[in-house]
């Protein structure tokens, strides 16, 4: 199964629905000066304490699991998502155009994240300052256009991270 995209109060979140979970996470901060994509990898290891207090790696130990969050890369799209609200024609936006401005960010992510994890990597898109300045109905139209545009791109293979759903 492929993950689904969820939106919570101006946030999209892709939730993996597969049992093969990715150790990677993508977080996109959609701000007033553009969108910044950050890739993190969560690396788990088991440790056991020795008698002298040193920590030794022991993959078979159940003593303690430690998880490290490693930043694997960042990229930026310079166009603020909120600027698309001014391009509305009869209350609608060109969904393909809205989504295309973010595709280079996801292209970058496909370089960092191995293909085996593309369909199970959670993605969170959080819209901050710039979007809050728009009236709620305009915000929703921009979110709808981004969602529809990314869904459209997932069917063409240009957006490999998800089978999209919106909350």
């Amino acid at each position: 199964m492929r993950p689904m995209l969820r939106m919570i109060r101006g946030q999209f979140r892709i939730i993996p629905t597969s049992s093969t979970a990715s150790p990677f996470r993508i977080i996109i901060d959609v701000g007033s000066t553009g969108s910044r994509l950050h890739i993190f990898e969560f690396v788990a290891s088991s440790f056991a304490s020795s008698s002298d207090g040193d920590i030794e790696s022991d993959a078979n130990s159940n003593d303690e699991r430690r998880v490290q969050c490693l930043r694997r890369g960042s990229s930026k799209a310079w166009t603020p998502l909120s600027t698309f609200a001014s391009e509305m024609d009869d209350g609608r936006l060109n969904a393909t155009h809205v989504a295309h401005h973010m595709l280079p960010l996801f292209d970058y992510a496909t370089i960092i994240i191995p293909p085996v994890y593309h369909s199970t990597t959670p993605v969170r898109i959080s819209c901050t300052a710039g979007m809050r300045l728009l009236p709620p109905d305009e915000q929703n139209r921009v979110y709808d256009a981004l969602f529809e545009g990314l869904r459209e791109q997932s069917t063409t293979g240009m957006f490999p991270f998800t089978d999209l759903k919106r909350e």
Side-chain angles (χ1 to χ4, degrees):
M1 262 193 192
R2 299 190 73 186
M4 62 180 171
L5 182 85
R6 297 170 56 186
M7 189 191 114
I8 304 168
R9 288 190 237 162
Q11 297 179 351
F12 288 93
R13 199 177 346 164
I14 297 172
I15 307 296
T17 55
S18 170
S19 61
T20 308
S22 172
F24 295 91
R25 304 294 182 267
I26 296 174
I27 298 174
I28 299 178
D29 173 14
V30 178
S32 60
T33 61
S35 301
R36 287 155 301 284
L37 174 138
H38 305 286
I39 301 167
F40 298 95
E41 181 179 9
F42 290 85
V43 180
S45 57
S46 295
F47 292 91
S49 297
S50 66
S51 59
D52 61 1
D54 290 339
I55 295 177
E56 301 171 357
S57 178
D58 180 0
N60 296 321
S61 172
N62 290 328
D63 290 341
E64 187 174 345
R65 264 182 85 73
R66 294 180 186 231
V67 177
Q68 286 183 295
C69 177
L70 306 173
R71 186 182 199 147
R72 295 299 187 192
S74 295
S75 186
K76 182 171 181 176
W78 293 94
T79 304
L81 186 62
S82 59
T83 61
F84 290 100
S86 65
E87 298 179 12
M88 282 193 214
D89 184 27
D90 294 329
R92 294 201 32 90
L93 288 169
N94 180 328
T96 303
H97 182 64
V98 174
H100 267 250
H101 98 284
M102 280 199 182
L103 289 180
L105 298 177
F106 290 105
D107 288 343
Y108 172 76
T110 64
I111 295 167
I112 304 295
I113 299 171
V116 68
Y117 295 122
H118 288 181
S119 67
T120 60
T121 296
V123 177
R124 182 178 202 138
I125 302 174
S126 296
C127 301
T128 57
M131 290 298 288
R132 285 193 303 251
L133 298 175
L134 297 175
D137 61 323
E138 286 183 26
Q139 289 178 27
N140 283 326
R141 285 189 211 126
V142 173
Y143 297 143
D144 288 342
L146 178 61
F147 172 77
E148 289 301 320
L150 290 176
R151 187 171 65 152
E152 176 184 288
Q153 298 309 309
S154 71
T155 63
T156 65
M158 292 186 67
F159 180 67
F161 289 98
T162 187
D163 184 18
L164 303 174
K165 293 191 180 185
R166 182 170 171 196
E167 281 187 342

